Amino acid sequence: MEEIRLRFPPSPTGYLHIGSARTALYNWLFARKHGGKLVFRIEDTDMERSTEEAAKAIIEGLKWLGITWDLGPYYQSDFAQEHREAAERLLEQGKAYRCFCTKEELEEKRKAAQKEKREYGYDRTCRSIPKEESDRRASNNEPFVIRFKVPDSDEPVVFEDKVYGRIVTNRKEIDDFVIVRSNKVPLYILSNVVDDHRDRVTHIIRGADHITNTPKQVLLYQAFGWPTPVFAHMSLTLDSQKAKISKRRHGEMATVAWYKEHGFLPWAFCNFLALLGWNAGDDREYFPTSDELVEAFSLEGLSKTNAVFNYRKGDPKFITDPKAIHINSLHLRSMAIESLLPYVKSELEKAGLWKDNYDSDEREWFVEMVDLLRARYNLTTDFATLGRPYFTEDYEIEEKAMKKGLKKDPGIKEYLPVIANKLEALDPFDKDAIEMCLRELAENYGVKVGILTNAVRAAVTGQNVGPGLFELLPVMGRGRVVARIRRIASSLG
RNA sequence: GACCCUAUCGUCUAGCCUGGUUAGGACACCAGCCUUUCACGCUGGCGGCACGGGUUCAAAUCCCGUUGGGGUCGCCA
């Protein structure tokens, strides 16, 4: 049986874009699902815009996402000679022809057509130039491009799209398109077909923006006598203004790197991306592992309608699609704690909060603390921002914590030193003992236990929100807790 | 403008093919419950079949049209 092969062929003209990442993801999922291979090919035939840095950034992005490939990366430009030869073959067979029209001439015709509100298509001026003349002009070094000669026929060009169904195109809608530039560099439309054939690609999953050039490529496959692969076009992702998401309009938020920097877990982000324009057919949206997504994935679940990325510029609650954050929190809270640790370490390092002891003597303490905190965090960056007081003595008492925790009851500044003394002497220093201790004290003072817990929380974390206090204190450790309470108590004057 | 694609809550979507559902789920939002705080969780609420014609006993579902949205129309990919 023929091996299933897919490909991901980005052009290296910028960072890895979330739309490209989604395309890569779907190809990868499909390949894995069917035991196939994924070809990674960098389409750099546009030398003007392609850069090595961009290629690197794309590779980095894919690696971070965990999207792996089986073949490549190949560079399309390495195969330029093969593409030229393919074009040469078409030329010899009369399936393509040299076009000597200059850019300026064509531009003029285009403008004239626009002015008269006629639709513009290449007028086939050079299609009828006799072979002898064409050869002569070529050997005289007259510049030319090579155009594909769309075969005359009454039959429309048809292909069966796995998502959109049967796409029928009238040949009159297809120009004799250019396949080789005047500088002899082949164009994408040609190179792409030649490469896909050489790489034995069986399935092409790509953005719906390629739908209209698919008939041209189908014609090329036919001209070469090659079987056409299966096409599956996927809906695009737009912003709330219904514009294509782009770095230019949306800034870094449109790049994969942004998600890496803002505390997203790679697999969680893939999980979210997969949901943009695809569904499992049941109510499942959370896929703990890639195996589960692979199992659920199928082309039938792809949506035909463009997805709108729910992001509002300038709105802090919508720095990105809130569903992305939600999915991330699901993964953050339930993934294996060992897998989460490196991400937390990285965030703490960036914030200057990391201590090497967390990898050795204090490792147990660190793991317990992370586990306690993650239950209410959404992003890995939260450990360094919201979590700051847990990892350093250098923390502020937030205003809300001061008000709701430390100033809530006038007696608090009397209670706090007593609590510190009690906790210092408590044995064992565990959840139940601490709870009993604080409840007893509350009863003695005739206040609700919440007054005491909130005060202690405010003192030891500077915050009025956080893990359950009775769980937190034993993890934090007696020494640290008592010291913090005393320090804050004395500062209350 | 021409050609192609598309249309279900604010957003992602199920349902459409094979007409009969109180049009389902998720995110977001609101309320309540839980509770030592905040989250989580649970319960409930808000909110949608773009419009107009057909076909039919019956239309989100089938057909036609309108409107809206998107894509493409390069010697970019």
Side-chain angles (χ1 to χ4, degrees), chain A residues 368-382:
Chain A
E368 282 180 40
M369 190 54 89
V370 168
D371 203 22
L372 204 54
L373 290 172
R374 70 166 168 168
R376 58 211 79 212
Y377 287 172
N378 299 319
L379 303 165
T380 59
T381 46
D382 289 340

Side-chain angles (χ1 to χ4, degrees), chain A residues 141-206:
Chain A
N141 289 327
E142 190 175 334
F144 62 87
V145 299
I146 301 177
R147 285 183 185 273
F148 181 74
K149 186 189 283 183
V150 175
D152 289 317
S153 163
D154 294 332
E155 295 297 309
V157 181
V158 176
F159 73 95
E160 208 66 47
D161 190 275
K162 279 297 210 185
V163 176
Y164 288 95
R166 196 179 181 78
I167 307 276
V168 180
T169 310
N170 193 311
R171 300 170 102 95
K172 287 180 183 56
E173 304 299 331
I174 308 175
D175 281 354
D176 282 351
F177 52 93
V178 177
I179 55 179
V180 180
R181 295 177 176 90
S182 53
N183 65 3
K184 311 286 186 220
V185 178
L187 277 148
Y188 156 82
I189 194 92
L190 199 231
S191 306
N192 190 250
V193 166
V194 172
D195 289 341
D196 282 342
H197 178 256
R198 183 197 57 249
D199 293 337
R200 301 209 302 277
V201 169
T202 56
H203 294 70
I204 294 179
I205 303 174
R206 61 180 6 172

Side-chain angles (χ1 to χ4, degrees), chain A residues 284-326:
Chain A
R284 276 185 301 167
E285 294 198 323
Y286 168 58
F287 295 90
T289 65
S290 66
D291 285 346
E292 283 160 89
L293 222 206
V294 166
E295 181 274 321
F297 188 77
S298 84
L299 261 22
E300 283 68 42
L302 286 174
S303 166
K304 289 195 266 204
T305 56
N306 294 336
V308 173
F309 198 78
N310 197 10
Y311 143 83
R312 302 179 203 156
K313 202 166 190 164
D315 185 338
K317 291 213 77 170
F318 287 81
I319 55 165
T320 186
D321 196 312
K323 198 158 187 171
I325 297 170
H326 177 253

Side-chain angles (χ1 to χ4, degrees), chain A residues 335-353:
Chain A
M335 69 196 287
I337 187 81
E338 291 296 327
S339 311
L340 177 61
L341 262 20
Y343 296 99
V344 179
K345 176 177 179 178
S346 162
E347 293 303 333
L348 293 184
E349 278 174 340
K350 272 193 266 177
L353 296 171

